[in-house]
Amino acid sequence: MFAPDRYVAALRFAAERHHGQHMQESQLPYLVHLVAVAAEVTAALPAEGVDVDVAIGCALLHDILEDTPTTRAELVERFGEPIAAGVSALTKASSDSLILKEHRMADSLARIRAQPPAVWIVKLADRITNLAPPPAGWSRDKRVAYRDEAMQIADALGGVCPQLDARIRAKIATYAAYL
Ligand code: NI
């Protein structure tokens, strides 16, 4: 069981850093997304080989390096190296990196697969949470690409947790209605 004080510390830090950010096409604070991912992870626990502290910590902090000025060093100091390493792996290569756009998902999945299972389940939980009705402005190509990416994630990481594997594949099937 994740210690409540550690959960609240990660939640507060995320709330401070993501302050003012909102969920896509929504008035809801971005924090709702982070807690939704943590809820998805929690529902899959206990899972074989999964460190609960790292899983919940990474769930609440998974977008903090990508979307806020937070540094990896701050995460190490506040939450320890395993969570900092997990969040780093969950952070996409920036668009100005040398990695081509079409290779970015493969690069991201390879970096996650080099991490412990706790990090794999956060990526699955993140995509499960995001397989919701797509924003109105998304083209069909973009929606198909998003669905195909989800399949790539399921194929690369689903083996770590049968429950989340079933969840993501069910969500992918439901997403077909939006294509
Ligand atoms: Ni996310």
Side-chain angles (χ1 to χ4, degrees), residues 30 33 62-63 126 130:
Y30 197 72
H33 167 66
H62 75 273
D63 283 326
D126 185 36
N130 285 338

